[in-house]
Amino acid sequence: MADDIYEEAAQAIITSDRAAAEEVAQRALDQGIAPGEIMALGFVKGIQEVGELFESGELFLPELMMSADAMAGATEVTNAALEGAAAEVKGRIVLGTVQGDVHDIGKAIVIAYLKANGYEVSDLGRDVPAASFIARAKEEGADVIGMSALLTTTMEEQRKVVKTIKDEGLAFKTVVGGAPCTQRWADQIGADAYAEDASDGVKKIDALLGR
Ligand code: B1M
């Protein structure tokens, strides 16, 4: 039953079991479950629960880090299944996690989706200063700058990038994402789009570039 495998996926993350997470991810793919589906309905549910347990003080940083490692294992398996799916290049994107922020699991998923949907993506990594987003976008002739932020304290970095683009009259489109971000936040800082998840990211970028 598909529901059982989603529950198994969530449990592998909650119990910080990387080997189990990789095995469940592969088994789901072998059963014909789409990478995005096992991720959204299984693994992401697990890491969200871990976040809630951490917030309520029932789980501590070392356990959170081990769950993140299990999540990274699952993401590697599902992202590998997305490789090579696209035929045409629709545009160039530079994408990173903003300065002060090391959360990069969501970013890795977004990048895999964008690549699978025909975009060339440069992964700038995490803890990326505002100036580096702009410099790399210029160097690579990017169409879009994507910024991930998971902390309320680091979201402000997205505003810096958007402001520099406007101040310098640059043409890059900007997309923001990450758990604390919303459409309202994107409007507030003048970003061109907010993406709720990886598939929404593809949709919003397609729309921005008229693809
Ligand atoms: Co951190 N952490 N963490 N953490 N962590 C959160 C974000 C938190 C909400 C947990 C909690 O308390 N409930 C909380 C933030 C509170 C706040 O800001 N208000 C928090 C905290 C406090 C911290 C530390 C400060 C803890 C400490 O040290 N005391 C610390 C900060 C470190 C730093 O960055 N400077 C910290 C550290 C860590 C770990 C290193 C242990 C680990 C990250 C490992 C890693 O990424 N390599 C970690 C984790 C795993 C989490 C939670 C549990 C899970 C994040 C995650 O991977 N989600 C998280 C709780 C939560 O988010 N509910 C939490 C799954 C992922 C698939 O979703 O990243 O949202 P997400 O990405 C989605 C969408 O948002 C969207 O698409 C993705 C795919 O669907 N998206 C984009 C994301 N980026 C996009 C960019 C785009 C488009 C869409 O551009 C085009």
Side-chain angles (χ1 to χ4, degrees):
M1 284 257 301
D3 282 358
D4 294 339
I5 203 162
Y6 298 141
E7 180 54 29
E8 268 189 78
Q11 281 305 321
I13 302 304
I14 294 164
T15 56
S16 310
D17 189 339
R18 182 174 177 138
E22 290 173 350
E23 188 276 319
V24 175
Q26 191 56 56
R27 185 153 36 91
L29 297 175
D30 293 344
Q31 288 177 12
I33 297 174
E37 203 161 306
I38 184 68
M39 206 21 89
L41 302 178
F43 296 114
V44 169
K45 295 265 189 274
I47 198 78
Q48 280 169 346
E49 186 167 336
V50 167
E52 283 160 24
L53 293 169
F54 176 69
E55 201 169 7
S56 63
E58 288 168 71
L59 194 148
F60 299 98
L61 193 56
E63 293 148 306
L64 176 61
M65 290 173 76
M66 283 167 66
S67 287
D69 184 55
M71 189 72 189
T75 306
E76 275 171 27
V77 175
T78 54
N79 282 359
L82 288 166
E83 270 171 28
E88 44 149 359
V89 175
K90 295 198 283 190
R92 280 172 205 275
I93 299 167
V94 295
L95 204 149
T97 302
V98 298
Q99 188 162 34
D101 202 323
V102 302
H103 296 85
D104 63 358
I105 294 168
K107 170 178 71 65
I109 297 173
V110 174
I111 289 174
Y113 265 68
L114 287 167
K115 286 183 173 169
N117 283 278
Y119 287 98
E120 273 183 11
V121 188
S122 292
D123 181 359
L124 307 191
R126 50 196 193 174
D127 194 16
V128 180
S132 301
F133 279 100
I134 307 281
R136 284 290 293 275
K138 283 180 181 168
E139 264 168 46
E140 301 193 14
D143 303 297
V144 177
I145 296 179
M147 290 165 277
S148 186
L150 266 287
L151 299 170
T152 45
T153 47
T154 58
M155 293 164 76
E156 278 299 324
E157 290 295 315
Q158 296 175 331
R159 190 199 297 273
K160 280 192 201 166
V161 175
V162 173
K163 184 173 182 310
T164 307
I165 289 171
K166 297 205 189 300
D167 289 351
E168 293 187 13
L170 300 169
F172 309 123
K173 301 282 185 201
T174 48
V175 184
V176 294
C181 303
T182 57
Q183 183 59 52
R184 194 169 165 198
W185 169 248
D187 294 342
Q188 203 179 317
I189 65 173
D192 294 299
Y194 156 68
E196 188 181 1
D197 57 26
S199 61
D200 191 36
V202 173
K203 258 190 252 157
K204 296 283 170 64
I205 291 174
D206 279 351
L208 281 177
L209 302 182
R211 303 290 189 260

